[in-house]
Amino acid sequence: MSKLRVESFTLSLDGFAAGPDQTLDNPLGIGGTALHAWAFPTRTFQSKLFGKPDGETGIDEDFAARGFRNVGAWIMGRNMFGPVRGPWPDESWRGWWGDNPVYHMPVFVLTHHPRDPLVMEGGTTFHFVTDGIHAALERARAAAGGKDIRIGGGASTIRQYLEARLIDELHLAISPVLLGTGEPLLTGLNLPALGYTCTQHVTSPRATHIVLTRQ
């Protein structure tokens, strides 16, 4: 069966996935951009986010690249899709990524408010799921055609899937940054009791990469 994976999800040293005061102009919150200093220079991120042919190789690139292998669908939370809260006032918001998002496959967005599917260039279609994490996973598995499903975030979405013991593998990049406050990922979760153990840890100059696997 296909796996449900989290890849390249970055945390600060004090456990925050984003800084405080997230806004349209500051989607990662105050200080949040600094978390991803390990990822932006990699060949994978330079290519997929910025359309550039060059980028760094090495440990960080190895982890960035593996996150896109054998993925057939994505799941994300409403807040990761955009800054709009509550009922959709209209359908003008089409995501952070422009007309041709980086996904190029079906993406299932968890929300409490219905919206028609959003078809974008390059094969990305955003489907808005209002009946919970299990329904989103079921639809993503069907769309993935036997490949894995990747959870893009944010922290609340990952926590829900962890608490339900549905995530098979979780790659965290621990960035040497202190945010002080923001959006925590693991606070209050008993990962060993949920069946998770550390199966890999590798350090690069910019991050410590941790892989947790559900036993």
Side-chain angles (χ1 to χ4, degrees):
M1 180 180 289
S2 64
K3 292 182 179 180
L4 182 63
R5 296 156 42 197
V6 175
E7 298 283 353
S8 299
F9 196 79
T10 306
L11 293 180
S12 66
L13 280 174
D14 44 356
F16 296 104
D21 301 323
Q22 293 168 276
T23 64
L24 180 61
D25 295 326
N26 197 13
L28 298 176
I30 296 173
T33 301
L35 294 176
H36 304 282
W38 74 270
F40 291 139
T42 64
R43 180 175 294 174
T44 292
F45 274 70
Q46 286 293 307
S47 171
K48 293 188 177 296
L49 270 67
F50 308 115
K52 297 181 179 180
D54 300 319
E56 294 182 5
T57 59
I59 292 172
D60 294 333
E61 164 59 15
D62 291 343
F63 278 95
R66 69 168 239 163
F68 290 89
R69 296 190 189 113
N70 196 44
V71 175
W74 288 62
I75 295 172
M76 68 173 61
R78 164 88 179 259
N79 292 358
M80 182 172 175
F81 177 73
V84 181
R85 303 292 184 264
W88 301 98
D90 51 46
E91 298 192 354
S92 59
W93 180 260
R94 298 166 62 85
W96 302 102
W97 308 277
D99 293 330
N100 188 357
V102 299
Y103 304 102
H104 307 299
M105 62 186 66
V107 180
F108 297 87
V109 181
L110 293 163
T111 177
H112 296 295
H113 303 281
R115 178 173 171 174
D116 291 334
L118 176 59
V119 180
M120 308 291 285
E121 295 176 12
T124 300
T125 298
F126 292 104
H127 301 272
F128 301 90
V129 182
T130 58
D131 42 358
I133 63 171
H134 292 86
L137 179 56
E138 182 177 347
R139 291 180 61 182
R141 284 202 195 281
K147 293 184 176 181
D148 293 343
I149 300 98
R150 178 172 171 176
I151 300 179
S156 174
T157 296
I158 294 173
R159 287 176 61 87
Q160 290 179 66
Y161 279 102
L162 281 171
E163 289 171 339
R165 298 189 72 250
L166 292 171
I167 293 174
D168 296 291
E169 196 168 84
L170 176 72
H171 163 224
L172 299 174
I174 311 300
S175 177
V177 171
L178 290 170
L179 292 181
T181 186
E183 188 173 4
L185 177 66
L186 301 177
T187 301
L189 293 179
N190 187 335
L191 292 179
L194 292 170
Y196 292 93
T197 187
C198 180
T199 53
Q200 187 178 6
H201 56 94
V202 182
T203 300
S204 78
R206 294 193 180 103
T208 298
H209 297 277
I210 304 292
V211 177
L212 303 178
T213 304
R214 181 169 58 81
Q215 303 299 304

